[in-house]
Amino acid sequence: MTRTARHVNLASRPIGVPLPENFEVVEAEVPSAEDGEVVVANRFMSVDPYMRGRMNDVKSYVPPFQIGQPLEGGAVGEVIESNSAEVAVGDFVVHGLGWREMAVVPAALTQPAAQVEGVSLSANLGVLGMPGMTAYAGLLDVASFVEGDAVFVSGAAGAVGSLVGQLAKLKGASLVVGSAGSDDKVAWLTEELGFDVAFNYKAGPVAKQLFAAAPEGIDVYFDNVGGDHLQAALHALKVHGRVALCGAISMYNNTEPAPGPNNLSLAIGKRLNMRGFIVSDHVDMRADFIREVGGWLADGTIKAEETVMSGIESAGDAFIGLLTGANTGKMIVEL
Ligand code: NDP
């Protein structure tokens, strides 16, 4: 009997903010697992900001998606057929062929899903997955966080940012400031996640609001946003301050290059250390990350919110929503 499932193709390249018509849901046959492969029934798929760059026809650290071809990204699901000695039917695995209900994947490209009691499997795509690891490595290694640091994180109500703030607090930050795009998100950061101060970057100039939040300055800036946030942080950073350059989401939909911060030369006099990074460079920290963050998640010390959309047909909208702030915590599609 022929087995079919739905997946999402890139129908056309977005110009600016993606539109629903850039995505097309298609039904196709799912072949059997060949030697070394498994068939996975995906339970959850991830939409992540970096995918926006792959929708442009430009060379980057990952190759561009092709028009008329399925999109790719993180997913977690159950193995329903196996032609591999390493992975068994019934195993739950994480892999890179999301944007589809079923995936045929080489077993060697799957990872066992982390399972924490009382925590959804989808955490493998968020707090216990790539975004969580980004927060952990970015704060502790790239930004060289030490106890007593005053930390500012932008995109604070998202998957990465919400963990950065909680980790900084748990590891003894003297001050944790977050920025986000709505008053509800700001309230969630201070009332639920324990941020000391949060502000709505849409309510006034970032520099002014950051100064009010941290009048004595900051030691660490975790940059998820770029643009005016980076410029404001350069003003606020103390001598020997550190910046983890993680993302620049304010620019991902730009159709023209945006001007850089107009005050980059402050980095000289302040002897700032600004370091870009890609999470996959930090696999050596994964065991510590799972142990530490998994433990805090299991005992409720860390809170991991998710915004869950339902069905493969909502994947395009979930991605558009991610870029326009519809999510609190990790944006997930349940399949
Ligand atoms: P989020 O869960 O934070 O979702 C994206 C959020 O970005 C939205 O919810 C929205 O929240 C915010 N946003 C959108 N447009 C703007 C804007 N113009 N200015 C400020 N905020 C905006 O996503 P992730 O946690 O997955 O990713 C956060 C950042 O980390 C991204 O820049 C991403 O590219 C980067 N990243 C980098 C990695 C690396 O290896 N270097 C790995 C993973 C992620 P709001 O309502 O607050 O505007």
Side-chain angles (χ1 to χ4, degrees):
M1 200 182 71
T2 310
R3 175 176 53 191
T4 64
R6 293 176 296 169
H7 66 262
V8 183
N9 281 348
L10 181 66
S12 54
R13 297 197 185 282
I15 298 165
V17 179
L19 300 169
E21 52 264 38
N22 298 131
F23 306 93
E24 185 188 16
V25 178
V26 178
E27 180 132 14
E29 191 178 329
V30 180
S32 297
E34 294 194 355
D35 199 21
E37 289 182 337
V38 293
V39 180
V40 184
N42 286 337
R43 292 281 177 82
F44 299 96
M45 59 160 271
S46 183
V47 286
D48 294 283
Y50 77 89
M51 294 170 180
R52 179 64 188 85
R54 293 192 70 186
M55 290 174 191
N56 297 334
D57 193 15
V58 290
K59 222 175 145 189
S60 174
Y61 64 96
V62 272
F65 294 126
Q66 296 302 318
I67 294 171
Q69 295 295 316
L71 295 158
E72 293 177 5
V76 60
E78 184 175 358
V79 175
I80 56 166
E81 187 187 320
S82 176
N83 208 339
S84 152
E86 277 74 49
V87 181
V89 169
D91 285 358
F92 286 92
V93 293
V94 181
H95 61 91
L97 289 184
W99 293 87
R100 61 202 87 198
E101 293 172 318
M102 269 186 210
V104 183
V105 199
L109 298 184
T110 67
Q111 267 193 331
Q115 304 217 40
V116 176
E117 212 185 314
V119 175
S120 167
L121 196 61
S122 55
N124 282 277
L125 306 176
V127 66
L128 286 181
M130 186 276 281
M133 183 67 200
T134 303
Y136 191 82
L139 182 70
L140 303 183
D141 181 46
V142 181
S144 306
F145 173 86
V146 289
E147 199 180 328
D149 277 347
V151 175
F152 171 45
V153 55
S154 54
V160 174
S162 60
L163 185 58
V164 169
Q166 292 183 82
L167 281 175
K169 215 49 211 165
L170 285 166
K171 293 202 171 264
S174 58
L175 178 73
V176 175
V177 178
S179 66
S182 75
D183 292 345
D184 283 351
K185 289 184 182 184
V186 163
W188 178 66
L189 292 172
T190 52
E191 288 164 21
E192 302 285 329
L193 298 195
F195 281 59
D196 297 298
V197 194
F199 62 85
N200 179 350
Y201 69 85
K202 293 177 181 165
V206 178
K208 208 168 147 192
Q209 297 198 76
L210 180 56
F211 180 73
E216 286 165 29
I218 55 173
D219 300 287
V220 166
Y221 173 46
F222 194 108
D223 189 18
N224 287 318
V225 167
D228 55 350
H229 275 84
L230 180 55
Q231 187 165 305
L234 284 165
H235 271 296
L237 279 154
K238 298 179 197 169
V239 170
H240 296 302
R242 287 145 279 140
V243 182
L245 294 168
C246 176
I249 198 162
S250 68
M251 300 172 181
Y252 293 173
N253 289 314
N254 284 359
T255 49
E256 298 291 331
N262 65 11
N263 56 353
L264 191 56
S265 57
L266 286 176
I268 304 163
K270 294 190 191 186
R271 292 82 146 177
L272 300 183
N273 188 348
M274 302 173 68
R275 213 178 128 198
F277 74 105
I278 296 293
V279 58
S280 51
D281 298 339
H282 295 269
V283 278
D284 56 313
M285 295 179 79
R286 191 176 142 77
D288 286 344
F289 159 66
I290 293 290
R291 183 182 43 76
E292 207 165 19
V293 174
W296 277 327
L297 195 62
D299 70 14
T301 305
I302 280 180
K303 295 195 176 107
E305 184 81 13
E306 292 179 346
T307 299
V308 183
M309 297 192 61
S310 195
I312 191 86
E313 60 282 359
S314 71
D317 287 345
F319 181 66
I320 296 166
L322 174 79
L323 296 177
T324 50
N327 59 309
T328 299
K330 176 74 185 112
M331 182 67 100
I332 291 284
V333 180
E334 183 166 15
L335 298 168

